Amino acid sequence: MTLMDTRVDDSYPTRITGTPAHLPRVHPTVWGTEADGPIDAATLANHETKGYTVVEDMLSVGEVQTYWQELVRLSSDRELAGDERVITEAKTGEVRSIFDVHEISDLIAELVRDPRVLDRARQLLGSDVYIHQSRVNYMPGFKGTGFYWHSDFETWHAEDGMPSPRAVSCSIALTDNYPFNGGLMIMPGSHRTFVQCAGETPDQNYKSSLKDQRVGVPSEDDITKMAAEHGIDQFTGQAGSALWFDSNIMHGSGNNITPYPRSNIFLVFNSVENALDQPFAASSPRPAFIAGRDSTPISR
């Protein structure tokens, strides 16, 4: 299929000229059933409605400490300094994110295959899965900058060629998430609406967007309308908790000006039946360390 053909068949057109619209989602959120994994029917139904699920204490206290030490090791690894997978803060130069982390860290590679993680991903997506993107996020005290309101799927669709929002993210907290240290905010139910964005995608947009996203974000008017319709929830809780959220849900976070850091492991699972095609609104795909193109199913 050519790039032009892909765009003709596009169910979620974006990066448009003119006034962006709110389009109804045409795909399910939950693809599996209670029989397919550890999530019960009531929780699956709630996930379908709200677009997210919180799993308390998914990791033990000891596991949290082990993974936290791994994040510290990665951020101070001199061999990674200058690696394109390491994203630094635009103002301070401190490490903001490390991508492709399941390929860098044996510990996180094991976590990807952990039944507590993998079985939930398979159940929600109703199929075998692979890693679309993995990273660790660092939000240090006083200096941590947030992420503006956005839908991940809008970017993954436009710049990576993800056909449908049959993907789910798992954010595992390695520090306590308070209401005041830059915790993730989510608009429950917003995943059922695809919000178009205006403007063309610059070449190699990822080099700036991973530090400060300017293209592929909704307008303030769109955010106001979505917030009025759906409200805003915030992910708070102890280290070791996990937030599972749909790829199309509207979310963002504020800056962290408190002394309390907020760091997490971020894993994105995509269905093997939703493998990437050519980008729908970009001249070329983003690198594989941001958007994996090997759709080989994860096995234990």
Side-chain angles (χ1 to χ4, degrees), residues 90-123:
K91 293 183 179 179
T92 66
E94 294 187 24
V95 175
R96 176 178 174 89
S97 302
I98 300 176
F99 280 79
D100 208 26
V101 72
H102 71 294
E103 295 289 351
I104 298 173
S105 165
D106 291 339
L107 266 176
I108 296 177
E110 292 175 9
L111 181 62
V112 166
R113 293 171 170 79
D114 189 304
R116 294 171 294 180
V117 176
L118 182 56
D119 289 355
R120 283 184 168 91
R122 287 172 170 169
Q123 184 179 15

Side-chain angles (χ1 to χ4, degrees), residues 8 51 57 74 133 154 156 168 182-183 198 224 234 252-253 267 270 286 290 292 297:
V8 167
D57 301 319
L74 290 170
Q133 183 184 105
E154 193 281 338
W156 300 341
V168 65
T224 300
Q234 188 174 39
S253 61
L267 306 173
N270 190 27
R286 296 192 298 175
I290 302 173

Side-chain angles (χ1 to χ4, degrees), residues 89-277:
E89 294 282 3
K91 293 183 179 179
T92 66
E94 294 187 24
V95 175
R96 176 178 174 89
S97 302
I98 300 176
F99 280 79
D100 208 26
V101 72
H102 71 294
E103 295 289 351
I104 298 173
S105 165
D106 291 339
L107 266 176
I108 296 177
E110 292 175 9
L111 181 62
V112 166
R113 293 171 170 79
D114 189 304
R116 294 171 294 180
V117 176
L118 182 56
D119 289 355
R120 283 184 168 91
R122 287 172 170 169
Q123 184 179 15
L124 289 169
L125 300 181
S127 69
D128 282 329
V129 298
Y130 71 97
I131 288 290
H132 171 70
Q133 183 184 105
S134 72
R135 67 179 189 261
V136 289
N137 292 324
Y138 299 83
M139 184 177 279
F142 298 113
K143 302 176 182 178
T145 55
F147 295 84
Y148 193 70
W149 290 105
H150 65 286
S151 152
D152 289 327
F153 174 65
E154 193 281 338
T155 296
W156 300 341
H157 185 66
E159 300 186 32
D160 300 335
M162 183 178 286
S164 74
R166 193 175 178 178
V168 65
S169 298
C170 176
S171 176
I172 304 173
L174 297 184
T175 51
D176 292 343
N177 282 252
Y178 302 107
F180 45 73
N181 68 335
L184 194 70
M185 298 178 288
I186 285 183
M187 296 186 185
S190 61
H191 63 296
R192 292 173 293 185
T193 301
F194 181 78
V195 179
Q196 291 180 316
C197 294
E200 293 185 1
T201 307
D203 289 340
Q204 297 187 321
N205 180 51
Y206 72 93
K207 290 187 176 180
S208 60
S209 67
L210 296 180
K211 296 186 179 186
D212 184 14
Q213 187 171 357
R214 305 250 177 193
V215 178
V217 295
S219 68
E220 291 184 1
D221 184 56
D222 285 324
I223 294 170
T224 300
K225 290 177 180 177
M226 294 292 283
E229 180 177 356
H230 301 288
I232 297 174
D233 290 347
Q234 188 174 39
F235 175 44
T236 59
Q238 293 183 335
S241 301
L243 172 68
W244 291 84
F245 61 100
D246 182 79
S247 59
N248 188 50
I249 202 163
M250 196 65 67
H251 63 287
S253 61
N255 294 343
N256 182 13
I257 61 172
T258 75
Y260 307 105
R262 186 179 71 84
S263 296
N264 67 300
I265 299 172
F266 187 82
L267 306 173
V268 180
F269 296 91
N270 190 27
S271 168
V272 296
E273 299 172 12
N274 193 41
L276 305 187
D277 204 326

